[in-house]
Amino acid sequence: MPKSLDIDVVTIMPQGTSEEFCDVDIPLDELDTTLHCHSLYYYDDVFQKDETFIFSGTYPNQLRKWK
């Protein structure tokens, strides 16, 4: 087990107007763990049309940074 942990917390929801809680880091000092909060949106209208998922939000941007 690593000494410290970094955990990505991803909230997935349909694209639209919603209150976001993302781009926030929550340290849990007593556990030596940090929660990294991200949003992940899918476009429901596109999925309903041709069963294809298209995503946006802060999590896809985070994944692009890792490449």
Side-chain angles (χ1 to χ4, degrees), residues 6-55:
D6 289 285
I7 300 173
D8 288 327
V9 179
V10 181
T11 303
I12 185 168
M13 62 197 102
Q15 176 65 25
T17 56
S18 62
E19 188 175 325
E20 284 190 313
F21 185 78
C22 58
D23 290 334
V24 175
D25 294 337
I26 302 171
L28 304 173
D29 295 330
E30 62 278 359
L31 300 175
D32 203 10
T33 300
T34 302
L35 305 177
H36 305 278
C37 301
H38 303 283
S39 62
L40 182 63
Y41 297 104
Y42 66 92
Y43 294 85
D44 193 45
D45 55 338
V46 174
F47 180 76
Q48 295 297 327
K49 181 179 172 186
D50 60 12
E51 296 185 353
T52 301
F53 280 109
I54 297 175
F55 294 106

